[in-house]
């Protein structure tokens, strides 16, 4: 699910329907003093990289005479997990009123990705001059906050003694909720289901985003209208009232809130008119519908592991036709997949130490087949430093192993699942595991793999499979439960879809970013889904 659709006023509740907007707050410390008679007058400019060029996005106000500014103006930027979003923060001393940056003295700059900032929530770094040297003792602090209002409201409504509108029976009541629109007219936000043949309806509880119901303002007046349903669409008006979310929140399970449903025409006509029935707020609860970004800003780490297929069907790595052949450009499809996924995920793991495992090869010295070996040949410490470390270990191990078979996935899936199971003992949303398997072909241990995936679906874990070469990948599509629920050979169903499969051949001629987008598109959803199922809020989350 890509995060580009803006929230609709009525619709499913969930962060996947929103663009994530991040607010960045900037402070400077010990900036260079460029003014002779007074201190510098700094301002900060934010650049984003677009097609390899830096483009100015926004700039702060100028802090007069201040070497330790805290800028009031915030930078607001759309956040896309599945992209590398490169940012540059440059500070200048304002000398003239010119908008041209070359007219102002340069105080230093800092470049990073948006992923780095949100995964740390707050970073302080040294400012650098154009030559890469520190700008004196100058530092910059950048703090991130998600802007979207993630609160949702759940209402339980009922009615009592509503007016009878049908000649030969009782009413068929339903409710409509309205908020004031920008044009001053009432705008429909939610409609309940119809309850047939009753003057004392009890509607099903429903949940809507708080932004949809009242623009996030609990004091704002909303209007509730009660109608009697008619199949021809000419619904009969029973009555209405105005209230606010703050007032409805007074309702408790033991003490419901009762509101009179008024028909203004009847009220004018009849002297002894009391009401057209009572609408009861049985309960009203505001909670937070946490997003992927909430979990990341809460300190959740994405733990990345790579599994590489070294079976004989790949071909001899010294032969240019082999999928493991490293071409004169220093790459192949395996390396391209590692770079595409790793460069995004590495921002979300503070120590950037990633286990890299191989399967389907014979290993020295006794040439036994292994389906779960450290490609750095250090079984007690299979970690590689950053994506570069994985690439180096991969290139170094190729001459020392014999490609063999079969293509067994389950040992590596179970390997990562063991660590994911340990993480569940913490009872906090602190770690989520991602296994990238790169393979050239058909799975030999399909039953065991299906079983391993079904068991892993209960854990904080997702599996990305990239198919390289031109083999038949029908079995991989089967594991990717987009079209149907995956079952183990025992008949047990996966509790959620955790496998994302993409064939590399679909991206051979596309820009390298498109592979990362396709591979990582479902991951934020999978992370949120797991922690919600476990009822785990982000660490340090605020109450609603």
């Amino acid at each position: 699910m890509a995060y580009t659709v803006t929230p609709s006023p009525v619709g499913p509740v969930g962060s996947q329907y929103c663009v994530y907007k991040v607010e960045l707050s900037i402070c400077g410390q010990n900036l260079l003093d460029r003014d002779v008679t007074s201190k510098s007058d700094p301002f900060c400019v934010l650049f984003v990289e677009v097609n390899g060029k830096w483009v100015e996005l926004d700039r702060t106000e100028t802090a007069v005479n201040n070497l330790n500014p805290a800028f009031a103006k915030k930078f607001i930027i759309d956040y896309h997990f599945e992209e590398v979003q490169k940012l540059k923060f440059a500070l200048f001393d304002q000398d003239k009123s010119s908008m041209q940056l070359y007219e102002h003295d340069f105080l230093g700059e800092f470049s990073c990705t948006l992923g780095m900032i949100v995964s740390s929530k707050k970073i302080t770094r040294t400012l650098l001059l154009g030559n890469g040297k520190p700008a004196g003792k100058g530092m910059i602090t950048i703090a991130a906050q998600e802007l979207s209002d993630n609160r949702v409201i759940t209402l339980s409504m009922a009615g009592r003694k509503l007016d009878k509108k049908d000649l030969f029976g009782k009413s068929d009541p339903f409710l409509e909720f309205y908020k004031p629109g920008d044009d001053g007219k009432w705008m429909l936000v939610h409609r309940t289901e119809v309850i047939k043949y009753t003057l004392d309806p009890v509607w099903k509880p429903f949940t809507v985003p708080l932004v949809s119901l009242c623009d996030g303002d609990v004091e704002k007046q909303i209007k509730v209208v009660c109608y009697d349903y008619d199949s021809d669409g000419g619904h009969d008006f029973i009555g209405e009232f105005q209230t606010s979310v703050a007032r409805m929140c007074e309702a408790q399970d033991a003490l419901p809130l009762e509101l009179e449903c008024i028909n203004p025409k009847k009220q004018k006509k009849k002297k002894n008119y009391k009401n057209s029935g009572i609408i009861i707020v049985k309960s009203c609860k505001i909670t937070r519908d946490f997003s992927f970004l909430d979990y990341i800003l809460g300190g959740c780490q994405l733990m990345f592991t790579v599994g590489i297929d070294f079976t004989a069907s790949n071909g001899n790595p010294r032969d240019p036709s082999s999928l493991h052949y490293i071409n004169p450009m220093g790459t192949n499809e395996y390396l391209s997949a590692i770079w595409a996924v790793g460069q995004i995920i590495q921002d979300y793991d503070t120590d950037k130490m990633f286990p890299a495992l191989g399967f389907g090869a014979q290993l020295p010295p006794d040439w036994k087949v292994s389906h779960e070996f450290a490609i750095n040949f250090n079984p007690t410490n299979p970690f590689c430093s950053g994506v570069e470390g994985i690439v180096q270990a991969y290139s170094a191990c190729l001459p020392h192993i014999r490609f063999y078979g079969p293509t067994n996935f389950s040992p590596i899936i179970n390997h990562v699942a063991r660590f994911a199971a340990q993480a569940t003992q913490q009872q906090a949303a602190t770690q989520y595991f991602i296994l990238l398997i790169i393979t050239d072909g058909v799975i030999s241990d399909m039953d065991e793999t299906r079983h391993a995936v079904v068991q892993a679906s209960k854990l904080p874990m997702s599996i990305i499979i990239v198919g390289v070469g031109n083999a038949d990948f029908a079995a991989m599509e089967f594991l990717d439960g987009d079209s149907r629920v995956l079952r183990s050979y025992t008949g047990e169903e996966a509790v959620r879809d955790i496998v994302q499969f993409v064939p590399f051949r679909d991206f051979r001629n596309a820009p390298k970013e498109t592979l990362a987008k396709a591979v990582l598109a479902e991951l934020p959803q999978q992370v949120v889904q797991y922690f919600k199922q476990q009822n785990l809020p982000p660490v340090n989350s605020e109450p609603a």
Side-chain angles (χ1 to χ4, degrees), residues 96-109:
K96 305 186 174 99
S97 57
S98 169
M99 290 300 288
Q100 302 297 326
L101 291 175
Y102 62 79
E103 299 269 12
H104 307 285
D105 291 329
F106 178 56
L107 299 174
E109 66 186 23

Side-chain angles (χ1 to χ4, degrees), residues 229-437:
Y229 174 82
D230 273 336
S231 56
D232 63 3
H235 309 308
D236 296 320
F237 175 71
I238 293 176
E240 65 183 28
F241 61 89
Q242 289 188 26
T243 184
S244 67
V245 169
R247 179 99 210 299
M248 289 195 291
C249 280
E250 292 170 16
Q252 303 293 327
D253 291 335
L255 201 72
L257 176 71
E258 300 197 350
L259 298 155
E260 286 189 304
C261 197
I262 303 296
N263 182 328
K265 283 185 182 172
K266 278 191 175 182
Q267 197 176 33
K268 274 185 184 171
K269 280 183 187 172
K270 295 182 180 177
K271 278 188 178 173
N272 59 350
Y273 174 83
K274 278 184 77 177
N275 57 50
S276 294
I278 302 289
I279 298 295
I280 304 156
V281 184
K282 291 168 67 185
S283 80
C284 172
K285 290 191 174 75
I286 296 174
T287 52
R288 290 196 182 273
D289 185 33
F290 294 112
S291 72
F292 174 69
L293 198 48
D294 288 321
Y295 285 105
I296 295 299
L297 288 168
C300 181
Q301 297 276 297
L302 300 184
M303 317 299 281
F304 180 46
T305 301
V306 181
I308 301 171
D309 179 344
F310 290 114
T311 54
S313 52
N314 282 277
N316 185 329
R318 288 183 286 281
D319 185 333
S321 65
S322 167
L323 291 165
H324 280 291
Y325 174 74
I326 298 176
N327 63 29
M329 304 286 289
T331 189
N332 61 30
E333 292 190 359
Y334 279 90
L335 287 170
S336 297
I338 290 167
W339 273 116
V341 179
Q343 68 173 348
I344 305 272
I345 292 179
Q346 69 176 351
D347 282 344
Y348 300 87
D349 185 340
T350 43
D351 69 4
K352 301 196 182 354
M353 296 299 289
F354 307 121
L357 308 171
F359 60 93
Q362 294 175 316
L363 305 186
D366 54 5
W367 302 108
K368 279 189 179 157
V369 174
S370 174
H371 298 291
E372 182 194 337
F373 65 90
I375 65 170
N376 65 1
F377 299 118
N378 186 345
T380 57
N381 185 10
F383 296 93
C384 302
S385 177
V387 183
E388 294 91 345
I390 299 173
V391 170
Q392 285 163 10
Y394 165 78
S395 305
C397 88
L398 284 174
H400 302 292
I401 59 176
R402 289 181 192 159
F403 289 17
Y404 204 70
T407 308
N408 290 355
F409 277 20
S410 59
I412 277 185
I413 295 172
N414 291 329
H415 174 100
V416 175
R418 284 194 293 276
F419 291 95
Q422 285 172 9
T424 61
Q425 292 164 11
Q426 294 174 30
Q427 287 299 304
T430 51
Q431 289 182 323
Y432 192 92
F433 290 77
I434 295 141
L435 170 60
L436 168 65
I437 298 177

